[in-house]
Amino acid sequence: MRPDITVFGRFTYLVTELLWGTVAAALLRRTDSTREALRVCLVLYPFAYAWDRYTLEAGVFEIPLRTGVEIADVPLEEHLFMFVVPSMVVGTYELLADLFDA
């Protein structure tokens, strides 16, 4: 049985982003790859922003359990998502490289 994370109500998406952001930050710290992740995030951010803004406007998806705070017509949580996901990828890649290069 999965835990019911909807108990956080309108903060559900924010809580999950902060949780996974903490995991990503731990990976980056462990692999000393924060600079690399930030570089990747900054390069990808404009594309991710344009994609999110378009898909939200087009009604491709809806985010019901969010704070309602929007920055430049995109939910706050989506801006965090645009940094958490690439950071998780870079951190995981660097961790695997460390483990298999050793």
Side-chain angles (χ1 to χ4, degrees):
M1 185 170 124
R2 286 184 246 167
D4 180 15
I5 62 171
T6 63
V7 297
F8 296 109
R10 68 186 189 106
F11 296 101
T12 299
Y13 191 15
L14 181 62
V15 168
T16 60
E17 285 307 314
L18 294 174
L19 171 74
W20 288 111
T22 301
V23 172
L27 279 170
L28 296 176
R29 184 178 173 120
R30 161 73 169 75
T31 60
D32 194 29
S33 56
T34 303
R35 278 183 64 124
E36 291 82 357
L38 183 57
R39 189 175 314 133
V40 169
C41 289
L42 292 175
V43 168
L44 291 177
Y45 182 83
F47 302 103
Y49 170 77
W51 184 352
D52 258 20
R53 187 162 177 190
Y54 171 74
T55 55
L56 285 166
E57 285 178 12
V60 172
F61 67 96
E62 188 176 316
I63 307 167
L65 297 175
R66 63 188 180 97
T67 59
V69 175
E70 291 195 1
I71 301 168
D73 296 324
V74 172
L76 167 68
E77 295 86 351
E78 282 294 295
H79 290 282
L80 292 173
F81 183 84
M82 292 178 222
F83 281 87
V84 169
V85 171
S87 296
M88 183 77 75
V89 170
V90 171
T92 301
Y93 174 84
E94 293 295 334
L95 181 65
L96 291 174
D98 287 353
L99 291 174
F100 290 107
D101 287 344

